[in-house]
Amino acid sequence: MKLSNNQLFWMIFCFQVHYALNPAFQYGHQDAWIISLVMGIAVMLLTFIIVKASLLSRDESLPALCRRLFGKWLGSGAAFFYIASWFLLTAVTLREWADYVFLKLLPNTPVFMVLIPFLLLVVYVNVKGGIMAIGYCSQVIGPLYFLISFVPFFLMFGVMEWSNLLPIYTDTGGENVLRGAIPALADVMGGSMVPFIIMGKHTDSKKTMKSALWAMGLSALWVILSTIGSVLVVGPHQASELIIPWVDSIRTISILDFIQNVDAFAICIYAFAHFISVSASMFGTSYGLAEWVGAKNWKRIVWYVAISVFLCVILTSNLGHITNDYRQSILVPWILPLNMLMIPILLLLMDRVKRWHA
């Protein structure tokens, strides 16, 4: 069985992009929406390139595709670079979720006690159902995540201070827009790299490109609306100091004393969305590693990956540090230019060259 385009769409949309708001506020303040808009345009272009490259592997795994087009050793190195980046993505996403639960819901509970049941559930869905089970879960959780992402923006109209958007562009300038858009782009695209291995062998339709573009377009639109909403509600300077300013913004929602505490529902749905993103990242890492080493049973590798991720998470520092360190040291300087841009373009070029010589 293969994923439907609907399942792929919701799975991509569930990947977490909350932390893309932080570099936008850091460099743009009240102009964070301009940075998010530039980031959104770049997201669509990059998604088109990545999906075109991933669809080259309709009948073969990502390691096999890289080895066919780049040669044995260079292809193996390129494929391993993807697998390593997915492993890091799994660990960082899990650490972000665990720290957020620790800070907001269970402040006196050790982090490993938060991690173990969540990680066991992720292992279970991978081992028992694989990518199809994650796809079915996405069809249930994805629409809820969509509602809790977009509806609060319209419920906050009564508390929005529109003068917070002024002055426009004067305090920021083109250099800061670019400096903020690049890490925001890396944050939004980070999760979508996992479907790079999923699309080729596990989807079945010519509409895969359309589903991926719609999903990434909605994610980018959410980032744009969230930056605007956060600036209008909590102000640009306070928003730049918060871990997830959007959650603090929607706490202000109160309509006729009937609709309140929306943030409690949001955190619950965010936890489910984290389950989808961590599960899909775990699948990509385990399945990709099995293909890379030639293992017949990729499900056994899920356990090794889960134990390694658990050790990485409990040995790393707290939320702000791991997110910023990962973005500044690995995601922006290495994964964005190599995994998201250079290797997909080279795959497309090499495929054209080989077809031309065939």
Side-chain angles (χ1 to χ4, degrees), residues 232-259:
L232 295 178
V233 174
V234 301
H237 297 290
Q238 186 177 349
S240 64
E241 297 174 355
L242 298 171
I243 296 174
I244 303 181
W246 179 244
V247 174
D248 292 273
S249 300
I250 63 178
R251 281 180 181 158
T252 62
I253 294 175
S254 177
I255 300 177
L256 301 176
D257 292 328
F258 178 71
I259 299 179

Side-chain angles (χ1 to χ4, degrees), residues 293-309:
V293 300
K296 294 181 179 179
N297 190 352
W298 67 270
K299 294 183 178 180
R300 290 183 181 176
I301 295 181
V302 172
W303 286 101
Y304 297 109
V305 172
I307 293 171
S308 302
V309 166

Side-chain angles (χ1 to χ4, degrees), residues 116-135:
I116 290 175
F118 186 85
L119 204 50
L120 286 175
L121 192 60
V122 169
V123 170
Y124 178 80
V125 75
N126 269 281
V127 171
K128 286 297 183 182
I131 193 62
M132 289 305 302
I134 301 171

Side-chain angles (χ1 to χ4, degrees), residues 33 35 47 70 73 114-115 135 187 208 236 240 246 267 293 308 310 317 341 343 350:
W33 66 274
I35 292 175
T47 299
F70 292 153
W73 295 106
V114 177
L115 283 174
D187 275 343
T208 298
S240 64
W246 179 244
I267 291 172
V293 300
S308 302
F310 175 77
S317 57
L341 190 61
I343 295 178
M350 290 301 296

Side-chain angles (χ1 to χ4, degrees), residues 90-290:
T90 309
V92 171
T93 306
L94 192 61
R95 179 76 212 196
E96 289 170 347
W97 175 83
D99 279 337
Y100 194 76
V101 171
F102 175 77
L103 290 173
K104 300 295 183 182
L105 300 177
L106 303 170
N108 296 318
T109 304
V111 171
F112 74 90
M113 291 297 292
V114 177
L115 283 174
I116 290 175
F118 186 85
L119 204 50
L120 286 175
L121 192 60
V122 169
V123 170
Y124 178 80
V125 75
N126 269 281
V127 171
K128 286 297 183 182
I131 193 62
M132 289 305 302
I134 301 171
Y136 288 131
C137 292
S138 302
Q139 286 182 301
V140 177
I141 297 171
L144 297 174
Y145 186 56
F146 175 85
L147 290 176
I148 203 64
S149 296
F150 286 95
V151 171
F153 178 83
F154 301 99
L155 297 179
M156 293 190 298
F157 265 73
V159 295
M160 288 179 174
E161 180 57 56
W162 291 89
S163 62
N164 286 345
L165 288 175
L166 301 176
I168 295 176
Y169 190 72
T170 305
D171 295 341
T172 305
E175 183 180 348
N176 280 328
V177 169
L178 190 61
R179 292 175 67 190
I182 290 174
L185 170 67
D187 275 343
V188 173
M189 294 300 300
S192 71
M193 291 305 299
V194 176
F196 189 83
I197 197 172
I198 296 173
M199 288 177 189
K201 290 189 68 175
H202 299 279
T203 57
D204 194 24
S205 170
K206 296 179 180 178
K207 296 181 179 179
T208 298
M209 174 68 80
K210 186 177 179 180
S211 298
L213 287 174
W214 268 105
M216 294 307 297
L218 273 182
S219 295
L221 178 62
W222 180 85
V223 174
I224 296 169
L225 291 179
S226 298
T227 53
I228 294 174
S230 299
V231 168
L232 295 178
V233 174
V234 301
H237 297 290
Q238 186 177 349
S240 64
E241 297 174 355
L242 298 171
I243 296 174
I244 303 181
W246 179 244
V247 174
D248 292 273
S249 300
I250 63 178
R251 281 180 181 158
T252 62
I253 294 175
S254 177
I255 300 177
L256 301 176
D257 292 328
F258 178 71
I259 299 179
Q260 292 180 329
N261 300 322
V262 176
D263 60 304
F265 294 99
I267 291 172
C268 180
I269 302 301
Y270 291 161
F272 286 127
H274 267 92
F275 168 72
I276 296 296
S277 57
V278 174
S279 298
S281 300
M282 183 78 74
F283 172 82
T285 307
S286 306
Y287 190 86
L289 189 58

